[in-house]
Amino acid sequence: MVDMPTHLGKLNKVPLDGVGATFTLVKSHVHREGANFPPYVFQHQVETEGFAKMAKAMGFGVYGLPGYLIYHVMNQ
């Protein structure tokens, strides 16, 4: 998500073609409709990239939230 507007607020959405798995928010009805993270090739993609392709093929939108910050807790 390089060169994306991070100053427009944490809920500003940017349309994407694919997603990564660092942090993925998925609405439950997307999974209930049958979208999954395919361990098989779907439209030449697997796992998170395949999930984005599958969700888009099912009519769902795929978006990034470039202003949404994710913090990881340091384990001691």
Side-chain angles (χ1 to χ4, degrees):
M1 296 185 33
V2 176
D3 297 330
M4 290 203 177
T6 59
H7 64 285
L8 298 177
K10 67 180 183 179
L11 298 181
N12 179 57
K13 295 189 290 187
V14 177
L16 299 175
D17 291 324
V19 296
T22 299
F23 192 86
T24 305
L25 296 170
V26 181
K27 292 184 177 181
S28 60
H29 73 277
V30 176
H31 286 300
R32 288 184 186 127
E33 289 292 322
N36 60 36
F37 291 88
Y40 51 85
V41 177
F42 182 84
Q43 294 184 358
H44 308 288
Q45 305 292 325
V46 295
E47 299 174 350
T48 56
E49 294 86 359
F51 175 76
K53 294 283 187 179
M54 185 180 295
K56 289 182 87 168
M58 294 174 69
F60 295 107
V62 177
Y63 302 94
L65 301 170
Y68 199 90
L69 298 178
I70 306 301
Y71 296 96
H72 295 272
V73 176
M74 295 291 290
N75 292 330
Q76 300 292 329

